[in-house]
Amino acid sequence: MKRFLLSLISLLLAGAAFAQSPLEIVSLMEQEMNKHEKEGMVMTVSIKIPILGTMKTKTFTLGDKLRMDASMAGAQVVTWSDGTTKWTYESKENKIEIENENPDKPTSGEGDATMFKDITEGYDVSIKKETPDAWYLQCRKSRNNKEKDDPRNMDLVIAKGSYLPVSLSASLRGVTLTMSDISFGVTDAQVTFNPDEYPGATIVDKRQGE
């Protein structure tokens, strides 16, 4: 019996030695994402707004370029940006507006991707649940985190094996944001505005005269 107990304890200790901490898991996720950084990223972003409902966007990012396909209440809005210029197509009016990018409120999709970088900074991270396929991590805002715009809680799911993110959810000021369906591999054509794709649309260039 003693020999059995000693063997059991040894196995448990060996398993504990190989167990990874939440910080190690997140660090490995960041390393894997860095490997794919130049490939561009695709994700679905769901924004749940009280009273208004849920708006879904499919976001493509490649370097400084971005394309966002949004749909809500039966209308389609597509936005492109290269960091300097922004193009917006609205299906209801079949209109395309071109304007200079606002440096104070950039459209750049990097904001989505960077949420996965340094995610543990200012947060206490713990494993809420673990399945054979993924880790479910909870990120709670640390007491010493004084950033008002940082969500109080974030839920991060990381796939086992690949260490790539499955989803990230956060709530702030009543708005819930969820990023999912994350993949890599974006072409320049996917994030570049092409007027030939919208024949008959009215083009309004608001850059003129600025």
Side-chain angles (χ1 to χ4, degrees):
M1 177 61 76
K2 288 183 179 180
R3 184 175 296 175
F4 171 76
L5 289 174
L6 288 172
S7 298
L8 183 60
I9 291 170
S10 298
L11 286 170
L12 291 173
L13 290 175
F18 285 106
Q20 292 173 300
S21 71
L23 294 181
E24 288 173 333
I25 294 168
V26 173
S27 177
L28 287 167
M29 179 200 74
E30 292 174 347
Q31 291 175 34
E32 287 302 315
M33 291 194 74
N34 287 337
K35 293 178 184 178
H36 297 279
E37 191 171 4
K38 293 182 179 180
E39 300 172 21
M41 184 165 66
V42 184
M43 70 170 73
T44 297
V45 181
S46 298
I47 305 171
K48 188 176 181 180
I49 306 170
I51 301 174
L52 295 178
T54 300
M55 179 178 72
K56 281 193 174 183
T57 70
K58 190 167 186 178
T59 305
F60 303 78
T61 57
L62 181 64
D64 292 331
K65 290 187 173 183
L66 157 80
R67 171 177 173 157
M68 288 192 302
D69 292 16
S71 60
M72 187 175 186
Q76 181 190 23
V77 178
V78 185
T79 304
W80 298 261
S81 172
D82 60 8
T84 303
T85 306
K86 181 171 74 171
W87 298 261
T88 305
Y89 168 74
E90 296 180 5
S91 64
K92 278 191 174 181
E93 298 184 20
N94 195 26
K95 181 176 69 174
I96 296 167
E97 290 188 353
I98 308 173
E99 55 192 324
N100 291 328
E101 187 70 84
N102 186 341
D104 296 324
K105 296 180 180 180
T107 308
S108 173
E110 272 192 25
D112 297 336
T114 52
M115 283 192 71
F116 292 98
K117 295 183 179 181
D118 302 319
I119 199 168
T120 56
E121 188 175 336
Y123 285 86
D124 300 319
V125 186
S126 60
I127 298 177
K128 185 167 63 173
K129 187 175 74 171
E130 183 176 348
T131 68
D133 300 319
W135 291 282
Y136 292 74
L137 306 178
Q138 186 172 56
C139 308
R140 289 184 177 274
K141 191 174 181 179
S142 304
R143 289 185 177 180
N144 58 358
N145 185 349
K146 304 303 180 182
E147 293 292 332
K148 293 181 180 179
D149 292 333
D150 283 355
R152 184 173 295 177
N153 294 294
M154 295 189 292
D155 291 310
L156 174 63
V157 183
I158 300 176
K160 289 184 175 179
S162 68
Y163 285 96
L164 291 173
V166 176
S167 66
L168 174 64
S169 298
S171 295
L172 186 66
R173 297 170 186 167
V175 177
T176 301
L177 178 77
T178 301
M179 303 175 189
S180 60
D181 302 325
I182 300 157
S183 61
F184 299 90
V186 176
T187 65
D188 189 66
Q190 287 178 297
V191 289
T192 302
F193 170 68
N194 182 0
D196 294 338
E197 295 179 357
Y198 299 90
T202 301
I203 297 179
V204 179
D205 194 341
K206 293 187 174 181
R207 297 171 300 173
Q208 297 174 358
E210 292 187 2

